[in-house]
């Protein structure tokens, strides 16, 4: 190696050394910053979490406010709906029936009320003892409590026995035809909706002899009722015709009534005059002795 190359090598080494020192310093600075960042990092993370929690709280508050406002709007709408809708009377007092839903505001044509729909309504389950649809001396037709459509409900017929368990019949329709027996029968029909009893009614099926006796006992009461009603209608018609006659001939009736009133007045005057005459006659004998005494006193003087 030449002297020139030997002279240049220390400068190069010096330059390389300075570069290495600068690199080491920069590396140490980076490490120091890296060593200082974890605490700051935790602080930054905590700050970020706080900001996220604040944002989440703000979002939840906004959701709560929106829900509250929606609930208040729903309440207001429900109140207005409840005020604008009326429900009619149920068609039955027990079991299942129907009722009308009437709108009281916003009806077409400026009407005050209008029918919106017809819906189902329910009353007490027990309907007591019912009457058959039709009956004859041989059979009787019974009906469960139901509304249309009939196949919407399930029906369970039971034969009731005193002091014994009821017998469930195989018929599951709403109408049951029963033939009369030698002894009366008691039947019950339960109307079920989703396996829940919503109506129950009982029937008595009399024997043919009992039915004839009941029918024979009815005409007497029916005849009396018809007689009373006929007499009442005749009396009402007579009164109506009398009133019509009085209204048409009011002048003649008024004159007749005036003549009767005048005759009654004359009779009352005559009776009063007779009463006065009788009283004057009764008083005259008492007055005569008084006059004689006066005359005697004058003569003596």
């Amino acid at each position: 190696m030449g002297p020139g190359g030997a002279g240049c090598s220390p400068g190069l080494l010096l330059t390389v050394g300075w570069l290495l020192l600068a690199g080491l310093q920069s590396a140490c600075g980076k490490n120091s910053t890296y060593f200082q960042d974890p605490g700051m990092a935790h602080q930054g993370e905590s700050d970020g979490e706080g900001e996220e929690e604040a944002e989440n709280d703000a979002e939840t508050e906004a959701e709560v406010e929106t829900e509250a406002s929606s609930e208040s709007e729903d309440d207001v709408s429900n109140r207005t709906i409840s005020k604008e809708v009326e429900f009619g009377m149920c068609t039955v007092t027990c079991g299942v029936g129907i009722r009308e839903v009437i709108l009281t505001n916003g009806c077409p044509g400026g009407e005050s009320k209008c029918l919106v729909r017809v819906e189902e309504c329910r009353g007490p389950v027990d309907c007591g003892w019912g009457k058959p649809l039709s009956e004859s001396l041989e059979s009787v037709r019974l009906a469960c409590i139901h509304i249309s459509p009939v196949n919407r409900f399930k029906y369970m017929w039971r034969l009731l026995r005193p002091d014994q368990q009821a017998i469930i019949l195989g018929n599951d329709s709403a109408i049951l035809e029963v033939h009369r027996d030698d002894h009366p029968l008691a039947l019950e029909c339960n109307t079920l909706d989703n396996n829940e009893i919503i109506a129950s009614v009982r029937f008595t099926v009399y024997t043919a002899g009992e039915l004839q006796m009941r029918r024979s006992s009815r005409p007497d009461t029916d005849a009396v009722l018809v007689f009373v009603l006929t007499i009442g209608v005749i009396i009402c018609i007579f009164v109506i015709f009398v009133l019509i006659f009085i209204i048409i001939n009011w002048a003649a009736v008024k004159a007749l009534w005036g003549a009767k009133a005048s005759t009654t007045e004359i009779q009352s005057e005559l009776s009063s005059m007779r009463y006065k005459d009788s009283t004057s006659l009764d008083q005259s004998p008492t007055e005569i002795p008084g006059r004689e005494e006066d005359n005697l006193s004058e003569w003596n003087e």
Side-chain angles (χ1 to χ4, degrees):
M1 182 181 289
C8 289
S9 63
L12 289 171
L13 289 172
L14 229 130
T15 306
V16 170
W18 280 109
L19 290 171
L20 288 172
L21 284 171
L24 287 171
Q25 286 177 358
S26 63
C28 288
K30 285 181 182 178
N31 289 330
S32 65
T33 55
Y34 290 153
F35 285 120
Q36 289 176 358
D37 283 341
M40 298 295 291
H42 287 298
Q43 186 177 358
E45 288 176 357
S46 63
D47 293 337
E49 289 177 356
E51 291 177 357
E52 290 178 357
E53 288 177 356
E55 291 177 357
N56 292 329
D57 292 337
E59 290 177 357
T60 53
E61 288 177 357
E63 290 177 355
V64 168
E65 288 177 356
T66 54
E67 288 177 357
S69 62
S70 64
E71 287 177 357
S72 62
E73 290 175 358
D74 293 336
D75 292 337
V76 171
S77 62
N78 290 330
R79 288 175 184 173
T80 54
I81 289 170
S82 64
K83 288 181 180 178
E84 293 177 356
V85 174
E86 290 182 359
F87 296 96
M89 295 293 292
C90 193
T91 56
V92 295
T93 56
C94 65
V96 59
I98 56 175
R99 66 179 178 183
E100 296 177 346
V101 180
I102 301 169
L103 187 66
T104 59
N105 190 8
C107 294
E111 304 233 350
S112 60
K113 291 184 180 181
C114 55
L115 181 64
V116 178
R117 65 180 183 277
V118 177
E119 66 179 13
E120 180 184 311
C121 61
R122 295 183 183 181
V125 175
D126 190 6
C127 293
W129 295 88
K131 293 182 179 180
L133 287 177
S134 62
E135 56 183 350
S136 63
L137 293 175
E138 293 80 17
S139 63
V140 59
R141 294 186 67 200
L142 309 175
C144 290
I145 295 174
H146 63 277
I147 57 174
S148 58
V150 180
N151 56 2
R152 177 188 166 188
F153 305 104
K154 292 182 180 179
Y155 308 97
M156 182 175 63
W157 289 92
R158 300 195 306 166
L159 178 63
L160 303 178
R161 299 183 297 175
D163 300 329
Q164 292 182 4
Q165 189 175 1
I167 299 173
I168 298 175
L169 304 180
N171 190 354
D172 58 352
S173 61
I175 308 296
L176 177 66
E177 186 172 359
V178 182
H179 294 279
R180 299 188 186 276
D181 203 349
D182 296 333
H183 55 84
L185 303 174
L187 297 168
E188 182 184 38
C189 179
N190 294 327
T191 304
L192 292 89
D193 185 15
N194 294 326
N195 296 324
E196 178 186 359
I197 297 175
I198 60 173
S200 177
V201 62
R202 293 178 291 276
F203 301 95
T204 300
V205 180
Y206 297 99
T207 61
E210 290 175 343
L211 182 63
Q212 287 180 350
M213 288 178 63
R214 288 170 64 86
R215 286 181 176 178
S216 62
S217 62
R218 284 178 185 174
D220 296 334
T221 57
D222 293 341
V224 172
L225 182 62
V226 169
F227 177 75
V228 172
L229 290 175
T230 305
I231 295 298
V233 170
I234 291 171
I235 292 171
C236 290
I237 292 171
F238 177 75
V239 171
I240 290 169
F241 274 108
V242 169
L243 292 174
I244 292 171
F245 177 79
I246 291 171
I247 292 169
I248 292 172
N249 302 308
W250 175 247
V253 172
K254 190 175 181 181
L256 182 62
W257 187 263
K260 285 184 178 180
S262 62
T263 54
T264 54
E265 288 177 358
I266 292 168
Q267 288 177 358
S268 63
E269 288 177 358
L270 289 173
S271 62
S272 63
M273 289 175 66
R274 287 173 184 173
Y275 178 74
K276 287 179 181 179
D277 293 337
S278 63
T279 54
S280 63
L281 290 172
D282 292 335
Q283 291 176 359
S284 61
T286 59
E287 293 177 356
I288 291 169
R291 289 179 182 176
E292 289 178 353
E293 289 177 357
D294 294 335
N295 293 327
L296 288 171
S297 61
E298 290 176 357
W299 177 261
N300 291 326
E301 291 176 358

